[in-house]
Amino acid sequence: MKFSVLSLIGHAPHPLTGELPSPADRFDEVLATGEAAERLGFDAYAIGERHAGPFLSSSPTVVLGALAARTSRIRLMTGVTVVAVLDPVRVAEDYATLTQLARGRIELVIGKGAEAGHFGLFGLDEARQWDLQAEKYALLRRLWSEEHLDWEGEFRPPLKDVTTVPRPYDGLPRIWHGSATSRHSPELAARHGDPLFTANAIQPRAAYAELVAYYRERYAAHGHDPSGARVAAGSGGLLIADSERQAVARYKHLYEARVAQTFKPHLAGRAGYNTPFRTLEDAIAHGPQLIGSPQQIIDKILGFHEVYRHDLQSVSVDGFGLGHAEQLETLQRFAEEIAPVVRREAPSTLWDPPGT
């Protein structure tokens, strides 16, 4: 299995102390985490995109550009690119530029976004979100695959004889489809023969397993070789202790304060917005979060793999209110105590050089 670190660049007050770092300090932390992820042997580092709520990730291309300059090996990803609210021409130009700067290390995860409010911010009708995503994504693929493109659609003016520049570094970059609660994204991924990135962040495992199974079924139905149906999975957060008892003692108040802080009463009942695992004990026992001893976390990831058969596991350490030094210590423990075991037990050829 391969491993990625995700940052949504959250910028909310600490759930217990109320402390809030400056935006400049937060960005410094995000860049330092990317450098650490490469040093520790993670395969990828992803930056989210949010246009509403307590986040600083409205311009992921800028952050990824800084990361491209500070790293040399690690793949740089998005998590997700909210293509439904963006102009595909701008997306094509920005991310093709990044592929050149990073010499092909860029991969996109696209989605319609999980934060309520960004469609109105861009003057778009949220009721048409899936139509927006399907049309804009199809155009993005053509912009990267074709030159002198003529195109007409519903959601932007027509294009005549358009060739976006720069061209991508090495052809069409790999594009994953982020999926949290709806079958629309698995269907779109399957139609285009693209990989699926299931959020695996809030709901019970069975909900995500259903989306993955649907994706594989539709992937084959669209005529693609089933062996090419790559899957990645998120985790909803990472907290490591020497034992479950120590995890509960160290993180219970922190975890439950963060859950209370992020709970959205107006979205109660809408899957994907509020975790049903309100206590730390419940999250350890039943949730997708990676919390507990190294062996507990190993067992949980391998349990995901039994169901998802995924190639890439994403982890995130900046959502629970850990200080930056503790975040880096957590990633180091994961890299040293967890990743080697899972790589051995669930090998993947994703990103391996041809012929290896």
Side-chain angles (χ1 to χ4, degrees):
M1 187 172 294
K2 311 301 184 185
F3 294 99
S4 174
V5 179
L6 167 68
S7 177
L8 298 177
I9 319 184
H11 194 235
H14 191 279
L16 296 178
T17 68
E19 294 179 1
L20 183 67
S22 71
D25 287 344
R26 257 320 263 130
F27 284 122
D28 280 347
E29 291 177 354
V30 169
L31 297 178
T33 301
E35 292 176 295
E38 178 169 85
R39 185 173 64 253
L40 292 170
F42 285 89
D43 300 282
Y45 186 53
I47 299 296
E49 179 179 334
R50 296 290 182 95
H51 296 279
F55 301 95
L56 299 175
S57 50
S58 59
S59 298
T61 51
V62 178
V63 180
L64 289 168
L67 286 163
R70 291 175 178 231
T71 59
S72 61
R73 177 198 58 80
I74 197 167
R75 285 168 178 78
L76 302 173
M77 302 177 70
T78 61
V80 301
T81 299
V82 190
V83 70
V85 303
L86 304 175
D87 181 357
V89 173
R90 183 79 262 184
V91 174
E93 294 171 338
D94 283 347
Y95 284 99
T97 300
L98 279 171
T99 68
Q100 295 291 342
L101 290 171
R103 295 186 178 271
R105 291 186 288 132
I106 300 293
E107 296 191 10
L108 272 67
V109 183
I110 69 153
K112 57 88 177 172
E115 196 68 29
H118 55 229
F119 284 92
L121 178 66
F122 287 89
L124 300 169
D125 181 2
E126 187 173 1
R128 302 294 308 280
Q129 59 187 301
W130 298 112
D131 298 324
L132 285 158
Q133 179 160 311
E135 179 180 294
K136 292 185 176 189
Y137 177 58
L139 175 54
L140 174 62
R141 286 183 65 93
R142 293 191 64 188
L143 288 165
W144 273 342
S145 303
E146 303 176 32
E147 299 182 6
H148 306 289
L149 175 65
D150 295 334
W151 177 91
E152 289 190 14
E154 181 179 357
F155 298 112
R156 64 149 292 136
L159 300 174
K160 181 69 175 177
D161 193 26
V162 167
T163 301
T164 56
V165 291
R167 307 305 293 161
Y169 178 78
D170 190 23
L172 184 71
R174 179 183 278 115
I175 304 172
W176 304 74
H177 293 248
S179 171
T181 59
S182 169
R183 290 188 171 193
H184 287 279
S185 289
E187 174 64 34
L188 191 62
R191 184 190 315 165
H192 289 284
D194 295 330
L196 183 74
F197 206 122
T198 181
N200 195 45
I202 293 177
Q203 302 301 315
R205 183 173 64 181
Y208 301 110
E210 179 182 341
L211 292 176
V212 172
Y214 177 77
Y215 161 70
R216 286 202 163 97
E217 173 190 326
R218 296 301 299 156
Y219 191 94
H222 282 289
H224 305 295
D225 181 349
S227 66
R230 300 279 193 181
V231 172
S235 66
L238 173 68
L239 298 171
I240 303 175
D242 290 338
S243 67
E244 181 175 344
R245 186 169 72 175
Q246 288 186 19
V248 172
R250 168 67 181 88
Y251 299 119
K252 181 175 176 63
H253 296 302
L254 183 59
Y255 173 85
E256 293 173 12
R258 177 64 84 193
V259 169
Q261 182 186 63
T262 58
F263 181 75
K264 303 176 178 67
H266 65 293
L267 296 174
R270 290 180 61 180
Y273 285 94
N274 296 298
T275 179
F277 307 109
R278 307 298 295 277
T279 69
L280 182 64
E281 292 88 345
D282 197 18
I284 291 173
H286 306 293
Q289 297 87 352
L290 301 177
I291 303 171
S293 70
Q295 189 60 53
Q296 280 180 293
I297 293 170
I298 289 167
D299 292 342
K300 185 170 278 191
I301 295 174
L302 293 177
F304 295 157
H305 187 262
E306 287 181 7
V307 178
Y308 305 152
R309 306 196 314 275
H310 59 308
D311 296 279
L312 173 63
Q313 177 69 55
S314 174
V315 299
S316 176
V317 295
D318 64 1
F320 287 152
L322 302 182
H324 188 241
E326 191 170 3
Q327 290 179 20
L328 297 185
E329 290 173 6
T330 299
L331 290 177
Q332 182 168 346
R333 288 198 69 175
F334 186 95
E336 294 176 352
E337 301 176 49
I338 297 170
V341 178
V342 178
R343 289 186 195 277
R344 183 176 65 249
E345 296 296 321
S348 171
T349 59
L350 177 69
W351 296 328
D352 286 355
T356 60

